[in-house]
Amino acid sequence: NTTDPSPDDVNGHGTHIGGIIASQNSTYPGVAYGVRALINAKAGGDADGYDGGGGSMTDSDAMACIEWALNGNPYGAEVINFSFGSSTPNDDTPLARFWDAVVSHQHVVSTIAAGNSGSALRTLYSPSIAPNAISVANVQDQETLSRSDDTIRPSSSRGPTAGGRKKPDLAAPGTSILSTNNNWEGSNPDWVSYTGTSMAAPHVAGAAALLISAGVSDPLAVKALLINTAEDK
């Protein structure tokens, strides 16, 4: 990408998300444990090279990475997670239209982080506003097994979209999520905890991958099945 030319994850964000989807560790398995392949396409950059903090991404880099994930490697993505976005006052953006095309023309399930600008109304990020994509909010599970105390985290962006469309589509665990650490060498921990809708979206991507492996091939059918079997929080 044009912001950060290093092929490495110098921020930690992408590595953490990849682990949520596909970690093969038996103690901390990813949602889609045993997945055939994980395609890591680096579209964003972190110029200071430090873990955590903000990053940046151009729409053109994002589009180029998605095109490569779909057609430029031996596997071809069946599910794509995009844990990135920016605030918008509009009901439509060029990047949201691109993601709609990924779903409707490339027939690929797409999960996108809703954003972390809650809890006022209409705080959703683009491109999570894309109609056919799955916009994912952040559930705070209070670190209990019971779902009875689960709530939407206050920082999680809220809908509706600027035009009044119902989003986000789903919410998933995104608070204090333990996953893979990019800076694991030496005495550093293999696992770190992050919070945000960025961590929630890959939970849904992993669930979508499991549905596809079970034979549900239509991305809109996958989306409908996930929504219709979710609890109303």
Side-chain angles (χ1 to χ4, degrees):
N1 67 78
T2 54
T3 305
D4 169 14
S6 167
D8 295 332
D9 177 7
V10 299
N11 180 278
H13 187 260
T15 300
H16 197 267
I17 290 163
I20 292 170
I21 298 172
S23 167
Q24 300 300 291
N25 184 272
S26 58
T27 303
Y28 303 112
V31 177
Y33 181 84
V35 67
R36 180 169 60 101
L38 178 70
I39 302 167
N40 184 16
K42 181 177 177 179
D46 185 352
D48 64 17
Y50 293 107
D51 283 358
S56 60
M57 184 188 305
T58 65
D59 286 1
S60 59
D61 282 343
M63 293 174 182
C65 275
I66 299 311
E67 289 175 357
W68 175 82
L70 293 172
N71 303 309
N73 67 87
Y75 295 101
E78 295 179 301
V79 180
I80 297 178
N81 181 79
F82 191 70
S83 285
F84 197 82
S86 59
S87 60
T88 178
N90 302 314
D91 196 57
D92 187 23
T93 66
L95 192 58
R97 290 190 179 194
F98 172 83
W99 279 102
D100 254 358
V102 169
V103 179
S104 60
H105 295 297
Q106 299 296 319
H107 308 292
V108 173
V109 177
S110 298
T111 58
I112 304 179
N116 304 308
S117 292
S119 56
L121 298 179
R122 294 179 171 84
T123 52
L124 290 171
Y125 286 3
S126 169
S128 78
I129 59 173
N132 287 321
I134 304 175
S135 175
V136 186
N138 176 1
V139 164
Q140 185 164 355
D141 63 12
Q142 317 301 333
E143 299 186 15
T144 64
L145 291 175
S146 171
R147 294 184 180 182
S148 63
D149 59 356
D150 291 1
T151 59
I152 305 299
R153 188 170 175 88
S155 61
S156 185
S157 289
R158 264 62 169 182
T161 69
R165 290 184 291 111
K166 188 176 180 179
K167 289 271 182 177
D169 300 292
L170 287 170
T175 303
S176 301
I177 302 300
L178 199 66
S179 186
T180 40
N181 183 13
N182 69 313
N183 188 24
W184 57 270
E185 292 90 343
S187 60
N188 295 325
D190 292 339
W191 311 92
V192 290
S193 178
Y194 285 165
T195 292
T197 57
S198 286
M199 286 65 247
H203 278 84
V204 179
L210 294 176
L211 285 175
I212 291 169
S213 70
V216 185
S217 58
D218 185 335
L220 294 183
V222 171
K223 180 179 178 180
L225 185 56
L226 288 169
I227 290 173
N228 290 336
T229 55
E231 296 178 357
D232 185 356
K233 307 305 292 186

